Structure formats: C-alpha cells, structure tokens
Amino acid sequence: MPRSSAINLFSLALLTIAHVTAAGAPWDCSTTMGAVLDIALGGRLCSSLHREPQPGTDEPIHVIVAAPGRTGTSSLRSALAMLGYIPFHGGDLLGDPQLAWAYAEGRDDELFALLRQRGFNATLDTFMASLWREQLQRYPNARVVVAVRDSIDTWWDSWVALRQAMEPLLTWPAVPWHSAGVRFRAIMARAANGLFVGTADPMQCFGYPAPDALHTNIAILDTPHTRAACTRAIAQYYADVQAAVPPSQLLLFNVKHGFAPLCRFLGVLEATCPRQFPVANGKSEVEELRAVLQAVRGAMLAAIALGLAAGGWLLARACTQLKRKRE
C-alpha cells in the first residue's frame, strides 16, 4: 500500500472514532465539524455523502439569513428545519464538490439550479450570506433574517475563536495542494470579497496574511488594525442589507429571542410554533473542534514519521541484501 494511502486510512479511522465519540452520532458532513474534518482528509468522505437531487422538488429560496457565521446560524439552521424548511448551511457547501466549485467560481446560475434540484429552500451561514444580493435578485419575495449577536465585538471574538480552532488544519502543509484544500481556499476568497467589502485585504478577516497566501496566520486576527477593519466591514454589511430589503420582508434577529419573533415573521401559527429554541455549534463545540484537529494533526505526523521509518528500514534491508548478493 502506498504510504499516502496508509496515512489517509489511518487518519480516517482516527477521525471517525473521534467524531462519533464526541458527537454521539454518525458522521454528518453538513456540520462544521464534519465538513472541516473531511477537508483534513482531502475530501475523502463528504463528496460521497452530499444531498442528492430530490424528485418533484423545485422550490425557490423562501428564507435568506443574511449574516456571517458565529451569529447563531447553526442554531437557526436547526430551528428552520423544525419549522419545515430545508436549510442550506456552510457545511452543506463544503461537503459537496459540485456546489462548492459552482460557488467558488461564481457560476451562480448553476449554484442556484443545484440548490433547487436538491430541495433546499432556505440559506444561511457565511458563504451564502456573501450572496445576499444575488439571492434577492433571483428571489425578490424571500424573507430576510438578519442574524446578530449582542454586539459586533462579541461576534468578532467568536469569529476569531473559530479561526483559531481551525488553525491545526489551515496550517497543515498538504492542505493547499489537495483538491479539497484548493476548493476550500477558493470558497474563502469569494466569501471574504462578499462579506468584508471595503477592507484593503478581505482575506485577512479569515486569517490569511496576504491575498495569495496558502496558509493562515491567525495572529493577524488579534491586531487592532484587522479587528477594526473587519468589524467595520460587517457593520456596513448589516447596514447595506437593512437599507436594501423592504421592512416587511426583514427581521433583525438574535437567537436569544427564541422562536416567537421568528414564527411571527415566517407566518407560523402560535399554536404550532415550537417552544424550545435549539442550540448548536456553541463555544464548547468550537473547543472540541480544535482538540480533535490537533489530535488528527498529531496522528498524521506520527503516521508520516512511522512511514518514513519503515521506508528507511526497508531501504537499508534492501541495500544489505544487495551487498550480500554481490559478495
């Protein structure tokens, strides 16, 4: 077996055990955890598990959540599903190469056609939030939920914490070169240009030190200049959305508000509106993601070292045998 294949199999086994143990459920590529871990493996698993076209479904987008990640979008995803929608989240994009490349390369007609074929009728999280204008042009009657935290600074702290959790993956030397890593980098570039408009280098808000950088340098997120530029851009993003969307189609929403305002906005009867708002992908999940990625990185380094040691031993043995034959 080639050394690279052995390393991937070793990592896959470790990742599967770690993810199932941590989450208590089978691998879910639509979650941040599942999609990010798959990137570490070079896209070996999620590409075969994405949502297939749904016969008889060709719905438009009914709900657009215009907000970057870390504003409760994972919780909103669960809430919208409870209300009968089929939400399209960041993990759904990362785990589906066809959708991911359509997004990254700006092939929006193909992207939205694929969403309709797969039955999605609500969008949210960082990537689709960067396309809020494009979505409104196609679906002018869609309801727009502007998800917010208590403050922009609170959001930024959570945003940086997620980037820090992903650092073991984003600084892994092989990631920019395999197909899933190239795809991930292209997705980040388009999202940055759509969300952080007006900054000198939007990719710095994702932790990339330069527009063409292959790896992140999370330290730049801690600089006052980056913090000020990125939070100012998101404040302007929110202002642009609220200025463009008619008030009757707009809801400014904090997940702390619970289901009541969301149900009223979406026309869900009070009698059928759930009481308990779901909580997903909070601080503990981010910390868990970092721990698992660090374990995976350590395991892959150990596997590489083991492979090199085994290769060296086999080479030495072959040289010894060749020397004996010559004697």
Side-chain angles (χ1 to χ4, degrees):
M1 177 185 295
R3 188 172 64 209
S4 60
S5 298
I7 292 172
N8 279 333
L9 287 175
F10 180 79
S11 302
L12 178 58
L14 179 67
L15 284 169
T16 304
I17 293 170
H19 185 69
V20 173
T21 301
W27 193 298
D28 183 358
C29 291
S30 67
T31 64
T32 300
M33 173 79 84
V36 168
L37 292 179
D38 185 61
I39 293 168
L41 287 175
R44 296 290 189 270
L45 185 67
C46 289
S47 60
S48 63
L49 296 179
H50 59 72
R51 183 180 174 88
E52 295 295 335
Q54 305 297 302
T57 62
D58 188 22
E59 287 191 73
I61 299 299
H62 296 303
V63 179
I64 300 167
V65 178
R70 310 312 300 161
T71 54
T73 55
S74 291
S75 299
L76 258 173
R77 174 180 181 262
S78 298
L80 289 170
M82 291 171 67
L83 296 178
Y85 293 94
I86 303 175
F88 182 71
H89 191 264
D92 297 301
L93 181 72
L94 291 175
D96 188 325
Q98 190 177 11
L99 280 166
W101 277 122
Y103 171 87
E105 295 178 348
R107 292 184 272 115
D108 291 343
D109 289 341
E110 178 183 349
L111 172 66
F112 288 106
L114 288 168
L115 291 181
R116 294 182 70 142
Q117 290 171 16
R118 285 161 167 72
F120 293 108
N121 55 18
T123 67
L124 65 170
D125 205 25
T126 298
F127 311 129
M128 294 307 293
S130 72
L131 302 184
W132 67 273
R133 293 183 190 275
E134 291 83 348
Q135 293 185 77
L136 273 178
Q137 288 174 358
R138 285 173 167 77
Y139 310 110
N141 297 320
R143 315 287 279 179
V144 179
V145 177
V146 179
V148 297
R149 298 286 291 257
D150 292 339
S151 70
I152 294 290
D153 285 331
T154 301
W155 164 78
W156 178 251
D157 291 339
S158 183
W159 176 268
V160 172
L162 179 59
R163 310 272 89 72
Q164 290 172 336
M166 294 171 65
E167 189 173 20
L169 163 68
L170 298 177
T171 56
W172 178 248
V175 164
W177 306 110
H178 62 56
S179 60
V182 172
R183 186 171 71 240
F184 181 78
R185 178 66 175 70
I187 290 169
M188 293 299 110
R190 187 173 194 200
N193 288 323
L195 286 174
F196 300 104
V197 178
T199 58
D201 180 6
M203 284 296 279
Q204 286 194 352
C205 300
F206 279 98
Y208 289 91
D212 57 351
L214 297 177
H215 295 98
T216 59
N217 179 4
I218 302 303
I220 68 170
L221 296 176
D222 289 329
T223 65
H225 171 76
T226 302
R227 183 187 189 100
C230 298
T231 53
R232 184 168 55 247
I234 286 299
Q236 186 60 52
Y237 169 91
Y238 280 132
D240 290 344
V241 173
Q242 293 178 71
V245 179
S248 61
Q249 290 178 235
L250 183 75
L251 174 68
L252 195 65
F253 182 73
N254 188 316
V255 292
K256 291 182 178 179
H257 298 160
F259 265 115
L262 187 63
C263 286
R264 286 196 297 270
F265 179 64
L266 297 177
V268 177
L269 296 176
E270 184 178 354
T272 59
C273 183
R275 295 291 178 263
Q276 188 67 37
F277 200 86
V279 177
N281 202 25
K283 183 177 180 179
S284 61
E285 284 84 358
V286 171
E287 293 173 349
E288 176 189 326
L289 174 64
R290 183 181 184 115
V292 172
L293 284 175
Q294 286 175 332
V296 168
R297 182 171 178 141
M300 293 180 79
L301 287 170
I304 291 172
L306 182 62
L308 290 172
W313 179 80
L314 290 172
L315 179 60
R317 183 180 179 186
C319 289
T320 300
Q321 291 175 343
L322 181 61
K323 183 178 180 180
R324 287 175 180 173
K325 287 181 180 180
R326 289 178 176 175
E327 291 175 350

